[in-house]
Amino acid sequence: MRRNHLIAAAGVCFALIVYATLARLAGRPVLIGHHEAYWVVVIERFSVYGLLGFLLSFLLPVRLTLACSLVVAVAMGLEILQAMTPDRDPGFLDVLQKAAGGTVGVLLAQTILAFLPRPPS
């Protein structure tokens, strides 16, 4: 049952990331307002991809490289797709921020998993 909840949470997180990345600039969700400071946008990117990496790492507990690769692939793929949206501008630094956040989320979850007791086999 717990796995179903993790799959649902990761799916919702992924769907929100896709929407926020590919939506027109006027329809994009924002934390503070449309004139946010750059550091707020960086924290948004880092934390949302960190959450995605965290959830994926719990879904794939023994596959550290697969979880990291998925998060980085999502960041790169969505940034490439963002180039096709007329009023959005993709950037290499955006990909780095998103990939770093996802990797930190994966590593945090793996650290937590290392201290959790393993179920008997």
Side-chain angles (χ1 to χ4, degrees):
M1 185 61 142
R2 185 182 121 210
R3 186 163 178 80
N4 291 339
H5 292 294
L6 284 172
I7 291 171
V12 167
C13 184
F14 178 70
L16 291 173
I17 289 172
V18 169
Y19 173 73
T21 303
L22 299 178
R24 298 188 64 77
L25 200 55
R28 184 183 175 277
V30 291
L31 282 178
I32 298 173
H34 287 288
H35 301 289
E36 297 173 319
Y38 182 70
W39 62 271
V40 173
V41 175
V42 171
I43 290 172
E44 280 179 0
R45 290 177 187 145
F46 190 87
S47 60
V48 75
Y49 275 86
L51 177 62
L52 181 64
F54 189 85
L55 292 170
L56 284 177
S57 190
F58 269 98
L59 280 172
L60 308 164
V62 293
R63 301 209 167 126
L64 173 72
T65 56
L66 180 61
C68 282
S69 298
L70 281 173
V71 172
V72 172
V74 166
M76 290 174 59
L78 287 177
E79 207 64 28
I80 290 170
L81 288 173
Q82 194 178 43
M84 297 177 199
T85 306
D87 63 343
R88 301 298 297 266
D89 55 336
F92 183 68
L93 281 177
D94 297 351
V95 174
L96 289 179
Q97 293 162 1
K98 294 170 181 180
T103 304
V104 167
V106 168
L107 294 175
L108 179 64
Q110 289 295 322
T111 304
I112 291 170
L113 284 169
F115 290 104
L116 289 178
R118 300 279 180 214
S121 44

